[in-house]
Amino acid sequence: RYVTEALKDNTVLTTLDLQKNELGTLFGADLAAALQENRELKNLSVGWNRLESVGTVSLLRELVTMATIEYLDLSWTGVTDEGAQLLADMVAGSQLLRHLGLAHNNITGNGLTGMKGGDSQKTLSKAVQASRSLTHVDISFNSLGTKATRDFLRDLCENLMLETVDIRCVKASDDIAEEVKNYVKVRAGPGKPVVVQFGSSVTGMAGPTNPIKAEKMGVEKKPTPKPATGTKR
C-alpha cells in the first residue's frame, strides 16, 4: 500500500522494480489504481510476486491504456490465458514496448495462439508478429505445447525486429528444434539476426535429442535450470 500511495504522488517516476517482494493478489489492483495517476512509467518489473490471475488481470487492464511502457517483466506472477489476451491488446497498441518477460507463468497454447473457433488474428502470437518495437520476448516455462509453439515460431518469421526469443521448457516435443532451425534460417537474411533460447520439453529434463549447433545456427542452447524446491505457483 505504501508503494502504491507513493506512486500516486510521484507522477514523474519512469522505472519501478518490485521483483521478489512477496506482493499478493490485491497489489495488482492497487498498482493499477496508482498508475492512473502516473502516466510516465516506462520500465515495470513485478516478477516473482504472487499476483495470481486476478492481480495480473487488474494490472494489465490498466497497462493496456498506457502508451509509455517500454520494459515489462511479469515473470512468475500467475499470468493465465485471460491475462495473455490483455497482453495481446497491449502489445498490439504499443509503439514503444521493447521487452516482454512472461517466464514461469500459466499461459497455455490457447492463450498464445487462440482457442479453436476464436479470432485467430487477435492473439498474443499475432500481436508479437505485428509488433515493430519488441526486441525481446521471454515466454519460457509455460505449458504452450508443440502446436502452439510451432505456430508461434511461424508467426515470428514475419517480425524482423526481434533479437531474442526464449521458449525453453514450454512442454513442446523435441521435434520443435527443426522449427527453431527454420525460423533462424528465415531470419538469417533480412533484418537483424535473432537468438532463440530453447531447451527441454518438460521442466527438469534434458534438452532435445539432436540440439542445433549454436555456433552454426545462431541458436543459443542454455542448460535447463532446476525448479526451486518447495515453490508453488
Side-chain angles (χ1 to χ4, degrees), residues 2 6 21-22 26 33 46 58 61 66 74 90 102 122 157 162 176 183 187 206:
Y2 297 114
N21 271 286
E22 299 183 2
L26 296 178
V46 290
S58 297
R61 282 176 177 160
M66 297 184 66
L74 294 173
M90 179 184 177
L102 299 172
K122 293 184 178 181
C157 287
L162 283 170
I176 204 68
Y183 171 47
R187 282 294 308 276

Side-chain angles (χ1 to χ4, degrees), residues 104 140-146 149 167-176 198-209 221-227 233:
H104 294 272
S140 60
F141 295 89
N142 283 275
S143 299
L144 305 180
T146 301
T149 304
I167 53 170
R168 287 174 294 157
C169 300
V170 292
K171 300 292 180 72
S173 61
D174 288 349
D175 61 9
I176 204 68
F198 76 106
S200 63
S201 305
V202 181
T203 304
M205 294 184 67
T209 306
K221 181 67 168 64
K222 287 195 171 184
T224 301
K226 293 183 179 179
R233 265 182 274 177

Side-chain angles (χ1 to χ4, degrees), residues 13 15 41 44 46 53 57 64 76-77 111 123 126 129 131 135 145 184 195 209 219 233:
L13 184 71
T15 298
L41 196 67
L44 177 61
V46 290
S53 179
V57 165
V64 167
W76 206 81
T77 54
T123 63
K126 291 297 184 183
Q129 177 193 55
S131 174
T135 59
V184 173
V195 172
T209 306
V219 178
R233 265 182 274 177

Side-chain angles (χ1 to χ4, degrees), residues 16-221:
L16 183 62
D17 187 345
L18 296 171
Q19 294 186 76
K20 299 181 180 179
N21 271 286
E22 299 183 2
L23 302 173
T25 302
L26 296 178
F27 180 78
D30 290 342
L31 181 56
L35 289 177
Q36 292 178 4
E37 306 296 329
N38 184 316
R39 311 304 287 181
E40 301 297 324
L41 196 67
K42 295 181 179 180
N43 307 300
L44 177 61
S45 299
V46 290
W48 303 93
N49 288 291
R50 292 179 179 272
L51 303 187
E52 304 298 344
S53 179
V54 173
T56 55
V57 165
S58 297
L59 177 57
L60 285 166
R61 282 176 177 160
E62 185 60 37
L63 290 178
V64 167
T65 70
M66 297 184 66
T68 57
I69 300 295
E70 299 178 10
Y71 183 104
L72 178 62
D73 188 357
L74 294 173
S75 300
W76 206 81
T77 54
V79 178
T80 61
D81 291 348
E82 184 180 2
Q85 182 57 63
L86 289 167
L87 281 162
D89 295 338
M90 179 184 177
V91 172
S94 175
Q95 298 180 355
L96 297 177
L97 186 64
R98 296 177 292 100
H99 177 105
L100 182 59
L102 299 172
H104 294 272
N105 275 302
N106 302 313
I107 301 172
T108 70
N110 289 336
L112 180 63
T113 60
M115 293 184 290
K116 185 176 181 180
D119 190 340
S120 61
Q121 298 304 310
K122 293 184 178 181
T123 63
L124 180 55
S125 182
K126 291 297 184 183
V128 173
Q129 177 193 55
S131 174
R132 294 299 173 261
S133 61
L134 274 174
T135 59
H136 178 94
V137 174
D138 183 354
I139 198 165
S140 60
F141 295 89
N142 283 275
S143 299
L144 305 180
T146 301
K147 183 181 183 302
T149 304
R150 181 186 296 115
D151 291 345
F152 181 50
L153 287 167
R154 291 176 180 176
D155 283 343
L156 296 190
C157 287
E158 297 185 27
N159 184 320
L160 304 183
M161 301 302 295
L162 283 170
E163 297 175 10
T164 60
V165 177
D166 194 336
I167 53 170
R168 287 174 294 157
C169 300
V170 292
K171 300 292 180 72
S173 61
D174 288 349
D175 61 9
I176 204 68
E178 290 301 314
E179 203 68 45
V180 173
K181 181 189 292 186
N182 179 65
Y183 171 47
V184 173
K185 281 185 176 179
V186 170
R187 282 294 308 276
K192 300 177 181 178
V194 65
V195 172
V196 180
Q197 298 173 7
F198 76 106
S200 63
S201 305
V202 181
T203 304
M205 294 184 67
T209 306
N210 298 304
I212 299 172
K213 296 292 185 179
E215 65 274 13
K216 292 183 178 181
M217 295 305 304
V219 178
E220 184 175 339
K221 181 67 168 64

